[in-house]
Amino acid sequence: MAGSVVSLDNPVFASYAAYAGLASMKMMGMSLVTAYHRLTKNVFMNAEDTSFGTKAVVRTDNPDIERVRRLHRNDLENIPPFLVVGFLYVLTKPSPDVAVWHYRAFLSCRLLHTACYLGGLQPWRAIFFFAGFATTVSMAVQVVAKGAL
Amino acid sequence: MAGSVVSLDNPVFASYAAYAGLASMKMMGMSLVTAYHRLTKNVFMNAEDTSFGTKAVVRTDNPDIERVRRLHRNDLENIPPFLVVGFLYVLTKPSPDVAVWHYRAFLSCRLLHTACYLGGLQPWRAIFFFAGFATTVSMAVQVVAKGAL
Amino acid sequence: MAGSVVSLDNPVFASYAAYAGLASMKMMGMSLVTAYHRLTKNVFMNAEDTSFGTKAVVRTDNPDIERVRRLHRNDLENIPPFLVVGFLYVLTKPSPDVAVWHYRAFLSCRLLHTACYLGGLQPWRAIFFFAGFATTVSMAVQVVAKGAL
């Protein structure tokens, strides 16, 4: 055994780790965007949050805030599966080039999806959503094929 | 060391990988069901999405769409913890038979839960929810017991 | 190679496993709190759920239930990234003391965040939210730095 597959010495795993870390922070970053809009617009979700501003109100119909929340939920639906499937894919010992491009494609699609969601751009948002989705499915199919039911 | 635990050569890990890949795709599949209902019913969530149909409207009260979204959220609450806990459980070196049946039980429960949610069947939906929940908790308890606080 | 990094024999991994298992169960526990409120208040989300009580109704405006659901969603936004980033952080071979305190800080912050959310305590809820958030980001930055883009 020349080295462990699950190690930062394995270039495929090191690539997965970097993209997984970035995708995690991207998803968490949506909380900061929501907080920014809440604080600047004085619109909150709980009665006790109105202590953050003298003009603060509880409302769930601010278009900017709700847009970020829809985008954040879309991340919750897509990024956690990528994080796990991307790791299992490392264990299938894929070609390093193919693997790294899967990770790059996924993160790029999610960043472009985010830009299109915030900018209200269709059909681009749908295109980047499905491209990122297909990237995860491509890895998942290979994981299931090499696993054992 | 006869071989690595975290390897597709380990039958328990290979089983985990296959069920984790299927559970991930199952959860992601809910996005496709939602998209199908949106496109066939012309009901969308953002103003710019109405470009997908001449009769498209923005509404959040379509019963079929909202049902799939509630189901999808239930997956988000249960499948990501399974994906991580199921992996950590492999590291506790469980009996292979017991481990594989945990994975099979979880995925079966989630598939049956999905069918019952879409079909509006209670108390079956609750029963399959709690059975899948208990499967993950069973593994999590063993992980915590063999970990170190 | 004296031993595998991804093994319960590695104290850092054993610590990660225990805290990851507890954080997973904590998040899943929110489902039980929601179910408790639904059954005691006779307020449900689907027409077929009203079979659980003769006075059961379908409503989405019960303040206790919606508060737990907002808290649960906040967990979904923060705990799955911790579960994955916390694992990748083990692979960066951190100082065991520093690593264990990251895990302890994260779980403590999320438990205190939960108490503050249920009790309606601001700015404490925000403080524990950001402290837990910063813990995950601290690990993610180190993972990305040691990974390969």
Side-chain angles (χ1 to χ4, degrees):
Chain A
M1 200 157 77
S4 178
V5 174
V6 184
S7 157
L8 291 166
D9 297 331
N10 172 4
V12 175
F13 183 80
S15 173
Y16 161 71
Y19 286 98
L22 290 173
S24 298
M25 285 194 282
K26 182 269 170 246
M27 182 168 93
M28 292 172 67
M30 295 302 99
S31 291
L32 303 184
V33 179
T34 300
Y36 167 79
H37 282 301
R38 289 202 184 285
L39 290 167
T40 54
K41 295 178 169 61
N42 275 306
V43 173
F44 295 91
M45 215 161 39
N46 297 279
E48 67 271 19
D49 305 345
T50 54
S51 61
F52 288 122
T54 50
K55 289 183 287 184
V57 292
V58 174
R59 297 186 69 132
T60 57
D61 61 355
N62 182 282
D64 293 334
I65 294 171
E66 298 309 312
R67 180 173 288 274
V68 179
R69 281 174 61 79
R70 290 193 294 273
L71 164 54
H72 200 167
R73 172 159 168 167
N74 195 278
D75 277 352
L76 299 179
E77 293 170 356
N78 289 283
I79 290 181
F82 163 79
L83 295 175
V84 173
V85 167
F87 169 67
L88 296 175
Y89 178 59
V90 175
L91 276 299
T92 68
K93 299 181 187 166
S95 149
D97 279 356
V98 173
V100 172
W101 281 104
H102 271 78
Y103 302 138
R104 288 180 183 157
F106 180 81
L107 184 63
S108 303
C109 285
R110 293 307 300 179
L111 293 175
L112 290 164
H113 173 266
T114 298
C116 292
Y117 214 135
L118 294 176
L121 299 180
Q122 285 285 29
W124 298 106
R125 190 187 97 214
I127 290 167
F128 293 122
F129 168 79
F130 280 112
F133 190 95
T135 305
T136 304
V137 170
S138 163
M139 295 189 291
V141 166
Q142 293 171 73
V143 167
V144 174
K146 297 204 179 173
L149 292 176
Chain B
M1 201 158 74
S4 177
V5 174
V6 184
S7 155
L8 290 166
D9 297 332
N10 172 4
V12 175
F13 183 80
S15 174
Y16 160 71
Y19 286 98
L22 289 175
S24 298
M25 285 194 282
K26 182 271 171 243
M27 181 169 93
M28 292 172 65
M30 295 302 99
S31 291
L32 302 184
V33 179
T34 301
Y36 167 79
H37 281 303
R38 290 203 183 284
L39 289 168
T40 54
K41 294 177 170 62
N42 275 306
V43 173
F44 296 91
M45 215 160 39
N46 298 279
E48 68 271 21
D49 305 346
T50 55
S51 61
F52 287 122
T54 50
K55 289 183 286 185
V57 292
V58 174
R59 297 187 71 131
T60 56
D61 62 356
N62 181 283
D64 293 333
I65 294 171
E66 297 310 313
R67 180 173 288 273
V68 179
R69 281 174 61 78
R70 290 193 294 273
L71 163 55
H72 199 167
R73 172 160 167 166
N74 195 278
D75 276 353
L76 299 179
E77 293 170 357
N78 290 282
I79 291 181
F82 164 78
L83 295 175
V84 173
V85 167
F87 169 67
L88 297 176
Y89 179 60
V90 175
L91 275 299
T92 67
K93 299 181 188 168
S95 150
D97 279 357
V98 174
V100 172
W101 281 104
H102 271 80
Y103 302 138
R104 287 180 185 158
F106 179 81
L107 184 62
S108 302
C109 285
R110 294 307 300 178
L111 293 175
L112 290 164
H113 173 266
T114 299
C116 293
Y117 214 136
L118 294 177
L121 300 180
Q122 284 285 29
W124 298 106
R125 190 187 97 212
I127 290 167
F128 292 122
F129 168 80
F130 281 112
F133 189 96
T135 306
T136 303
V137 170
S138 163
M139 295 189 291
V141 166
Q142 293 171 73
V143 166
V144 173
K146 297 204 179 172
L149 290 177
Chain C
M1 202 157 76
S4 177
V5 175
V6 185
S7 157
L8 291 165
D9 297 330
N10 172 4
V12 175
F13 183 81
S15 173
Y16 161 71
Y19 286 97
L22 289 174
S24 298
M25 284 194 283
K26 181 271 171 247
M27 181 169 93
M28 291 173 65
M30 296 302 99
S31 291
L32 302 184
V33 179
T34 301
Y36 167 79
H37 282 302
R38 290 201 185 285
L39 290 167
T40 55
K41 295 177 169 62
N42 275 306
V43 173
F44 296 91
M45 214 162 39
N46 298 277
E48 67 271 20
D49 305 347
T50 54
S51 61
F52 288 122
T54 49
K55 289 183 284 184
V57 292
V58 174
R59 297 186 70 131
T60 56
D61 61 356
N62 181 282
D64 293 333
I65 294 171
E66 298 308 314
R67 180 173 287 274
V68 179
R69 282 175 61 78
R70 289 193 294 272
L71 163 55
H72 200 168
R73 173 160 166 164
N74 195 278
D75 276 353
L76 298 180
E77 293 170 356
N78 289 283
I79 291 181
F82 164 79
L83 295 175
V84 172
V85 168
F87 169 67
L88 296 177
Y89 178 59
V90 175
L91 276 298
T92 67
K93 299 180 187 168
S95 149
D97 278 357
V98 173
V100 172
W101 281 105
H102 271 79
Y103 302 137
R104 288 180 183 157
F106 179 81
L107 185 62
S108 302
C109 286
R110 294 306 300 179
L111 293 175
L112 289 164
H113 172 267
T114 298
C116 293
Y117 214 136
L118 294 177
L121 300 180
Q122 284 286 27
W124 298 106
R125 190 187 98 214
I127 290 167
F128 293 122
F129 168 80
F130 280 112
F133 190 96
T135 306
T136 303
V137 170
S138 163
M139 296 189 291
V141 166
Q142 293 172 73
V143 167
V144 174
K146 297 205 179 172
L149 291 176

